[in-house]
Amino acid sequence: MTHRDNVDPVGSLKFVTLLVALIPELLFLGAGVKLQDNGYDGLLIAINPQVSEDQNLIPNIKEMITEASFYLFNATKRRVFFRNIKILIPATWKANNYSKVKQELYEKANVIVTDWYGAHGDDPYTLQYRGCGKEGKYIHFTSNFLLNDDLTAGYGPRGKVFVHEWAHLRWGLFDEYNDEKPFYINGQNQVKVTRCSSDIAGIFVCEKGPCPQENCIISKLFKEGCMFIYNSTQNATTSIMFMQSLSSVVEFCNARTHNQEAPNLQNQMCSLRSAWDVITDSADFNHSFPMNGTQLPPPPMFSLIQPGDKVVCLVLDVSSKMAEANRLLRLQQAVEFYLMQIVEIHTFVGIVSFNSKGEIRAQLHQINSDDDRKLLVSHLPMTVSAEAETSVCSGLKKGFEVVEKLNGKAYGSVMILMTNGDDEHIDNCLLTALSSGSTIHSIAMGSSVVENLEELSRHTGGLKFFVPDESNSNSMIDAFSRISSGTGDIFQQCIQLESTGENVKPHHQLKNTVTMDDSVGNDTTFLVTWQISGPPEILLFDPNGRKYYTNNFITNPALQTARLYIPGTAEPGLWTYTLNNTHHSLQALKMTVTSRASSSAMLPATVEAFVERDSTRFPHPVMIYANVRKGIYPILNATVTATIEPEAADPIVLKLFDNGAGADIIKNDGIYSRYFFSLAVNGRYSFKVHVSHSPSISSVAYSIPGSRAMYIPGYIANGNIQMNAPRKSAGRSEEEQKWGISRVSSGGSFSVLGVPAGPHPDVFPPCKITDLQAVKVEDEVTLSWTAPGEDYDQGQANSYEIRISKSLQNIQDDFNNAILVNTSKLNPQQAGTKEVFTFSPKLFTNGPDHQPDGETQESHRIYVAIRAIDKNSLKSVISNIAQASLFISPNSAPILTRDHLILKGVLTAVGSIGIICLTIVVTHCTLNRKKRADKKENGTKLI
């Protein structure tokens, strides 16, 4: 791997930049949304295949984006608008002269439209898995939201709703309302509505109609049935992230209008910063300027695209290096399983092999039966060539030749490229790959693969995988199991339930269980692979106790695989398998289990594993994520572990959490996260996640956490209360999983550079605390947060540094000079533990500091932040900023300021010293008099 440390990391980037300069339209192929000349290009909206065809859906989407474009342009002060949008029409809809898909995939869409409903019915929402100012994953709309005009009464115009969600997705803003805390008590001990801005007016409404706000409070608790109904006509122009439905709202809250006291996610996640402050710090605004003049931007241009036939070409390296470390055998095992089990019905598949030259082994053949699958397997390469040289471009050229024979172009096709060579000329075909319209998934096998292989995948929207040479690694089969058609049809896709491999000693066993839940079970296959000729002794129990033996499996001695197909729908429950190594030497035994959805009426649980960035440089950690869901619903309380395999080191197992701390931003959103920083070597790392869930624990929460447009229950119009129709509800709170869940998914690969040779000093600080909260309890403030670790979110930090200030700007910009809180008795706990700390801020709650607008001297707001310190004095990033409003009664005795306290302390100390000195003098004089008296008395006696 030493050659990789010398590779110029910007070389391929320069080449791609040159290509784009020559052919500008290549900029948007597989590249996601780009901002150019104030206009967004490449926005992809995908309609799920399960959505019924409706002639009004596409026009309504167009109308929504067009309205959103002009609204966004004005809201951003003539900064950005939508220029080019693609709408991905499902293949299940009838053809209508739509353009052919190139490299657009449902899984890559920025906006998805489904018929999956949450507990709040048609709420549009954005899945955000990173922090403030970071891009989200996708925006979700239901088809009913886009078709039912009655819903605009509660949500507002669809274009304004889209801008609300776009701000979540693109700029990492969070909601300025809070359903769980609709009211709060401010610094003047007044009940206030959680809103932004505070100028939005309305009235309190109880069960029987309008009522004074006092009727909504019982001992500072809010009475059930109370709500705040807003006036339909307002003067306030902010904020889009609070109530986009109001006609007067046309702006984002800025520093002047932002309500810092409101207990909402925007304040929590963005440390009390306004939405506009976050937006103006974004890359979009750093690289653009407002458009001149008064002219509006052009309306958006729409392209309607639809997938054609599913076409896949396998492009397989057969150079002499494939003979090393059983690479060819492992490739054969994985590809056979892919062809027999994973690739979807009706797909056209071709096979190409290459060394220094490409060779077509099988022209496109459509899979309509098992016989078609077996025919394709018979064309797999069985031997390696004597030639060591590899030419990826020669293989791809033959691959394009194969797929173009179907329709004359490679548009919408998929190339699965597997190589173990160090071809330094991949750049020669990058232009061809970019313009082909084909998506290239790359699989690097071994440690000698050239670094820029992944550029082919990165620029065509493909996945990237790495397969280490470890004999017990199952990552080759995992990679092929992860590759789907990209249509978004979860009912057709193969779902991986199990993947394990171990080096088993002679006459020892590999034994485990896999859960078959009732959402899967169709087309279920158990695959066993081994190293030494002759299968191991296999014993499999189904949940009813039925036994399957080795002779029940279909064995392929040449490829060293044994496969058991379960007809019909597999029995839900625990399946137990035992693989017994009956040979006299150590060998790697592996088990893979896949299935498909049991019914189109029940969405199966899925897991998607991914990283924040696919490359990093030591000592920066990698953020690993697993999105665990059932449709749109997050699966909670699951056990999620990531297995990371470096090129030349032992695998690392890392548990992921959905606890809203450390790398995890939002608790219970179904996205499990963790920092990975055990960067032992340079090079590629492969990883996969395993999800298990006990049937005794509630799992699927029928609510969508995080960011979504608010539905307004009603308005005050002309003094009358006008209530909107209640939101459609799924009518479910939580689903009990009778069978539990087992899932496995490959997350692909990432690369690490700059790892020093040999031991290195501690360079990993504790992670940032992101969930700091402050609550006033009588005269004290109680802080709570999740403990970070000694190194990021692992271990135990050494100490905490807590500082407070009456100025938000001061604590944001000059944390080190804010007032230090005594934490000598606060000892950090193990990472992930809930910390609680109480202190008295009364010494710092009054003084000449500038008061925020609208506050009186009886209102005192303090801002608190914290950072953790490890045993080597490495400090975490400063936490989110929390606040507490301290109400001081006007009739209470005045509390001295910090400066007054210092002066008073000095004077008190001087006075105390004087009293002490005087006491000493008096005592001394008294003692002297007593001594003299004693001497006189004694002298009389002596005399």
Side-chain angles (χ1 to χ4, degrees):
M1 281 308 303
T2 54
H3 75 280
R4 191 166 297 161
D5 296 331
N6 299 321
V7 173
D8 177 10
V10 299
S12 58
L13 179 61
K14 290 179 179 178
F15 184 77
V16 173
T17 303
L18 175 61
L19 294 182
V20 170
L22 295 173
I23 309 176
E25 58 266 26
L26 293 182
L27 178 66
F28 310 114
L29 292 178
V33 179
K34 297 293 182 183
L35 180 64
Q36 188 177 33
D37 297 330
N38 299 96
Y40 288 113
D41 294 297
L43 176 65
L44 179 61
I45 302 172
I47 302 172
N48 188 274
Q50 299 301 312
V51 174
S52 301
E53 186 165 359
D54 190 298
Q55 62 180 359
N56 295 319
L57 187 57
I58 294 174
N60 284 9
I61 291 174
K62 290 181 177 181
E63 181 181 327
M64 175 179 69
I65 301 300
T66 302
E67 179 186 19
S69 184
F70 295 120
Y71 184 63
L72 181 67
F73 183 70
N74 291 322
T76 58
K77 304 178 183 359
R78 303 182 57 81
R79 206 64 169 259
V80 293
F81 63 94
F82 297 109
R83 181 188 288 115
N84 291 305
I85 292 89
K86 297 177 181 177
I87 302 176
L88 181 60
I89 311 297
T92 51
W93 289 22
K94 60 179 179 288
N96 191 18
N97 293 322
Y98 301 125
S99 299
K100 292 297 182 185
V101 160
K102 293 183 180 178
Q103 290 150 346
E104 300 85 5
L105 300 172
Y106 181 90
E107 284 83 357
K108 300 289 183 180
N110 314 105
V111 182
I112 60 173
V113 179
T114 78
D115 279 338
W116 304 335
Y117 297 96
H120 295 142
D122 294 291
D123 277 359
Y125 78 93
T126 301
L127 186 61
Q128 293 181 267
Y129 64 97
R130 302 195 293 171
C132 179
K134 303 289 184 68
E135 286 191 51
K137 197 158 182 63
Y138 58 74
I139 298 171
H140 175 269
F141 292 109
T142 65
S143 57
N144 189 54
F145 172 83
L146 295 169
L147 293 170
N148 186 353
D149 292 338
D150 293 340
L151 293 175
T152 59
Y155 294 104
R158 294 189 187 101
K160 298 179 75 173
V161 172
F162 188 87
V163 171
H164 176 100
E165 299 303 328
W166 179 256
H168 288 312
L169 180 74
R170 185 70 178 184
W171 299 315
L173 301 186
F174 290 86
D175 289 319
E176 292 170 342
Y177 68 92
N178 189 337
D179 285 338
E180 295 180 359
K181 295 180 181 179
F183 309 108
Y184 66 96
I185 298 175
N186 72 354
Q188 288 84 36
N189 212 28
Q190 298 170 331
V191 175
K192 292 292 181 181
V193 179
T194 302
R195 56 189 164 180
C196 194
S197 69
S198 298
D199 296 331
I200 296 180
I203 62 172
F204 281 92
V205 174
C206 303
E207 294 174 353
K208 296 181 180 179
C211 60
Q213 69 177 32
E214 299 82 39
N215 290 12
C216 283
I217 309 168
I218 302 174
S219 299
K220 295 187 179 180
L221 296 177
F222 302 106
K223 184 178 177 181
E224 187 176 354
C226 282
M227 65 176 64
F228 192 80
I229 303 295
Y230 296 91
N231 298 335
S232 59
T233 303
Q234 302 274 350
N235 294 322
T237 59
T238 58
S239 168
I240 293 170
M241 301 314 294
F242 173 63
M243 191 178 288
Q244 74 288 330
S245 57
L246 291 173
S247 59
S248 67
V249 170
V250 293
E251 296 178 312
F252 295 96
C253 260
N254 56 31
R256 181 181 59 83
T257 57
H258 181 58
N259 180 7
Q260 293 176 354
E261 283 191 298
N264 56 38
L265 270 180
Q266 175 65 24
N267 278 331
Q268 179 185 333
M269 295 294 182
C270 298
S271 289
L272 311 181
R273 297 175 66 204
S274 73
W276 186 248
D277 286 344
V278 176
I279 293 172
T280 53
D281 278 348
S282 69
D284 286 352
F285 275 48
N286 288 334
H287 298 99
S288 66
F289 300 94
M291 290 176 60
N292 295 324
T294 59
Q295 188 174 358
L296 291 174
M301 300 291 293
F302 295 91
S303 302
L304 305 182
I305 55 177
Q306 187 177 39
D309 295 316
K310 291 178 281 191
V311 180
V312 175
C313 187
L314 304 173
V315 183
L316 311 176
D317 189 343
V318 292
S319 63
S320 60
K321 287 187 179 180
M322 287 296 293
E324 302 172 8
N326 275 333
R327 290 175 184 168
L328 180 63
L329 175 62
R330 293 164 67 199
L331 172 66
Q332 291 167 331
Q333 291 172 342
V335 175
E336 183 210 30
F337 188 59
Y338 175 78
L339 292 173
M340 294 301 302
Q341 180 65 20
I342 297 169
V343 67
E344 296 170 20
I345 194 79
H346 307 312
T347 302
F348 288 87
V349 180
I351 303 174
V352 166
S353 63
F354 68 95
N355 42 38
S356 63
K357 297 180 180 178
E359 177 186 356
I360 298 174
R361 306 188 72 91
Q363 296 287 356
L364 288 182
H365 187 85
Q366 190 174 31
I367 294 177
N368 294 306
S369 66
D370 273 0
D371 288 338
D372 296 318
R373 297 177 183 273
K374 292 173 184 176
L375 178 64
L376 285 164
V377 170
S378 70
H379 291 290
L380 291 179
M382 298 305 294
T383 58
V384 300
S385 73
E387 192 176 349
E389 184 181 353
T390 59
S391 172
V392 169
C393 290
S394 296
L396 286 176
K397 182 179 179 181
K398 286 295 183 182
F400 292 137
E401 181 182 325
V402 167
V403 300
E404 287 170 358
K405 287 185 178 179
L406 186 64
N407 295 310
K409 291 186 179 294
Y411 290 177
S413 64
V414 170
M415 299 282 164
I416 302 179
L417 170 65
M418 199 297 303
T419 183
N420 74 149
D422 54 357
D423 182 2
E424 298 289 348
H425 305 291
I426 291 178
D427 285 350
N428 293 346
C429 55
L430 190 54
L431 174 59
T432 302
L434 284 168
S435 59
S436 68
S438 180
T439 298
I440 301 175
H441 303 302
S442 60
I443 304 174
M445 198 168 189
S447 59
S448 62
V449 182
V450 68
E451 184 181 75
N452 60 351
L453 171 70
E454 282 85 357
E455 292 298 318
L456 290 167
S457 298
R458 186 174 293 114
H459 293 288
T460 62
L463 301 172
K464 304 171 288 293
F465 301 95
F466 164 66
V467 179
D469 282 333
E470 300 300 321
S471 59
N472 61 342
S473 172
N474 206 31
S475 52
M476 177 68 86
I477 289 176
D478 295 337
F480 276 96
S481 299
R482 172 71 176 81
I483 297 171
S484 69
S485 63
T487 63
D489 190 350
I490 188 61
F491 296 105
Q492 295 295 321
Q493 293 172 8
C494 193
I495 297 171
Q496 193 172 8
L497 308 184
E498 174 73 319
S499 171
T500 188
E502 286 185 15
N503 288 319
V504 181
K505 295 178 181 179
H507 306 294
H508 283 66
Q509 298 174 338
L510 169 60
K511 185 175 181 179
N512 211 339
T513 60
V514 58
T515 301
M516 193 79 59
D517 61 280
D518 57 353
S519 71
V520 295
N522 286 354
D523 203 15
T524 300
T525 299
F526 291 78
L527 174 71
V528 178
T529 65
W530 62 91
Q531 277 184 299
I532 301 172
S533 59
E537 184 180 88
I538 305 172
L539 179 60
L540 174 67
F541 289 88
D542 77 3
N544 294 327
R546 178 181 175 180
K547 297 180 181 180
Y548 298 88
Y549 300 96
T550 308
N551 58 6
N552 297 122
F553 284 67
I554 300 172
T555 303
N556 186 331
L559 301 186
Q560 295 171 213
T561 63
R563 183 166 52 90
L564 175 67
Y565 176 80
I566 306 297
T569 302
E571 191 72 25
L574 280 179
W575 292 66
T576 303
Y577 62 86
T578 302
L579 307 181
N580 185 17
N581 182 12
T582 56
H583 293 276
H584 299 290
S585 58
L586 181 83
Q587 70 164 327
L589 300 179
K590 305 171 196 174
M591 170 67 86
T592 304
V593 184
T594 61
S595 188
R596 282 185 165 84
S598 60
S599 165
S600 60
M602 185 187 306
L603 286 165
T606 60
V607 55
E608 178 194 9
F610 55 97
V611 290
E612 183 178 32
R613 291 188 302 270
D614 58 9
S615 64
T616 191
R617 180 171 287 275
F618 183 90
H620 298 293
V622 176
M623 310 266 281
I624 296 180
Y625 301 96
N627 184 14
V628 187
R629 317 188 85 71
K630 191 170 186 179
I632 62 173
Y633 306 118
I635 294 179
L636 311 182
N637 305 312
T639 300
V640 182
T641 55
T643 302
I644 302 105
E645 298 178 282
E647 283 192 4
D650 293 332
I652 302 109
V653 176
L654 187 68
K655 190 171 182 179
L656 310 185
F657 297 107
D658 185 17
N659 60 357
D664 194 67
I665 297 302
I666 298 177
K667 183 177 181 178
N668 290 341
D669 64 348
I671 296 184
Y672 296 73
S673 320
R674 201 76 187 275
Y675 291 104
F676 173 69
F677 53 90
S678 300
L679 308 174
V681 294
N682 289 309
R684 295 180 174 93
Y685 289 63
S686 175
F687 80 99
K688 66 181 174 184
V689 297
H690 184 277
V691 177
S692 62
H693 196 285
S694 169
S696 61
I697 304 175
S698 61
S699 62
V700 180
Y702 282 98
S703 62
I704 308 301
S707 307
R708 60 180 184 269
M710 181 165 61
Y711 184 86
I712 308 303
Y715 293 101
I716 305 297
N718 299 320
N720 298 316
I721 300 174
Q722 297 180 353
M723 301 302 291
N724 292 318
R727 283 182 295 182
K728 177 172 140 187
S729 173
R732 295 171 286 189
S733 56
E734 283 192 340
E735 176 183 291
E736 299 220 356
Q737 283 292 329
K738 184 177 179 181
W739 311 109
I741 298 171
S742 289
R743 295 290 186 273
V744 175
S745 180
S746 171
S749 65
F750 56 88
S751 298
V752 177
L753 295 176
V755 179
H760 50 77
D762 178 18
V763 291
F764 304 118
C767 66
K768 175 183 177 180
I769 294 167
T770 59
D771 60 347
L772 177 66
Q773 291 185 324
V775 178
K776 178 199 171 191
V777 182
E778 296 182 348
D779 293 331
E780 296 181 317
V781 171
T782 296
L783 304 179
S784 63
W785 67 93
T786 304
E790 167 76 11
D791 297 331
Y792 290 103
D793 53 4
Q794 297 181 35
Q796 190 171 350
N798 188 60
S799 63
Y800 290 118
E801 179 182 359
I802 300 175
R803 292 183 182 270
I804 66 174
S805 174
K806 289 189 293 179
S807 167
L808 173 61
Q809 185 172 357
N810 286 352
I811 204 166
Q812 284 176 332
D813 301 340
D814 197 9
F815 176 82
N816 291 332
N817 286 322
I819 299 169
L820 182 65
V821 176
N822 185 352
T823 57
S824 58
K825 295 183 180 180
L826 176 60
N827 296 314
Q829 301 184 71
Q830 194 70 20
T833 307
K834 201 68 178 178
E835 300 269 30
V836 178
F837 177 71
T838 299
F839 69 98
S840 175
K842 63 183 179 181
L843 299 182
F844 319 111
T845 56
N846 196 6
D849 291 18
H850 171 71
Q851 295 289 331
D853 293 342
E855 292 199 23
T856 68
Q857 288 297 323
E858 286 73 43
S859 169
H860 299 274
R861 225 185 303 175
I862 62 166
Y863 302 95
V864 189
I866 183 174
R867 64 181 171 192
I869 305 169
D870 71 9
K871 61 186 178 183
N872 291 315
S873 299
L874 295 177
K875 298 180 179 181
S876 72
V877 174
I878 297 167
S879 72
N880 65 297
I881 298 173
Q883 63 174 325
S885 294
L886 308 177
F887 177 74
I888 310 301
S889 172
N891 298 323
S892 63
I895 297 176
L896 299 177
T897 66
R898 183 187 184 195
D899 292 339
H900 291 161
L901 283 167
I902 293 172
L903 177 59
K904 181 179 177 181
V906 172
L907 294 175
T908 302
V910 171
S912 299
I913 292 170
I915 292 171
I916 292 169
C917 291
L918 180 60
T919 302
I920 292 172
V921 169
V922 171
T923 304
H924 179 71
C925 291
T926 303
L927 290 173
N928 282 341
R929 283 198 299 269
K930 185 177 180 181
K931 286 180 180 178
R932 285 196 296 270
D934 289 344
K935 285 181 180 179
K936 184 182 287 187
E937 182 179 338
N938 290 336
T940 303
K941 288 181 179 179
L942 287 171
I943 291 173

